[in-house]
Amino acid sequence: MIALYPGSFDPVTLGHLDVIERGCKLFEQVIVAVLGNPNKKPLFSVEERIEQIRCGTQHLNNLEVASFDGLTVDYAKLRNAQVLLRGLRVLSDFELELQMAHINKTLSTEIETVFLATSKEYSFLSSSVVKEIARFGGSVDHLVPNHVAKELYKCYARNQPQD
């Protein structure tokens, strides 16, 4: 069974990587699909985000990283994915994700949504929080892979914080 894990991943966090790794244990193949969301102004280009994810997931042999535009269910059908994989952190995520799952079901009855609760150590983590911390000069080394932390520090013209 093929699972599609869609998102903006701007940037990819350790929480995202946790969901990806766990998804790869559950499904034959996982496709991480990077969306260029027109409602958000991304820090990193789609190509940069794809490379960040690939760099952090080289050890996973049943993973593909790609990009798409348009409706998630249309891309899932195109890729023969039967499952949309979504991570849940807090109750507000559940409300939004459940609504999206119901909407997606009206668009395609063949595609199911599977929710994975994030590991507790990542339950507070979001890409937005990471960018805000980095923008104000805080350390994000414990929130994102090392290569992503370095790119964030460059973006915000800050040196890596010293302990």
Side-chain angles (χ1 to χ4, degrees), residues 21-63:
E21 287 185 16
R22 292 167 51 216
C24 284
K25 291 177 184 174
L26 296 171
F27 299 101
E28 277 177 61
Q29 181 184 15
V30 173
I31 302 168
V32 177
V34 178
L35 172 64
N37 188 336
N39 296 326
K40 294 184 179 180
K41 186 175 182 227
L43 182 61
F44 296 105
S45 70
V46 169
E47 295 77 21
E48 288 170 321
R49 289 179 269 159
I50 287 172
E51 188 55 34
Q52 289 172 350
I53 296 166
R54 284 183 179 149
C55 190
T57 58
Q58 294 174 26
H59 61 289
L60 301 171
N61 59 11
N62 61 334
L63 180 77

Side-chain angles (χ1 to χ4, degrees), residues 94-109:
F94 178 74
E95 292 172 357
L96 179 63
E97 292 294 343
L98 184 62
Q99 180 183 23
M100 286 304 305
H102 289 310
I103 290 169
N104 286 333
K105 199 65 162 167
T106 69
L107 298 172
S108 176
T109 57

Side-chain angles (χ1 to χ4, degrees), residues 63-74:
L63 180 77
E64 179 184 340
V65 186
S67 66
F68 77 104
D69 292 313
L71 293 174
T72 302
V73 292
D74 289 343

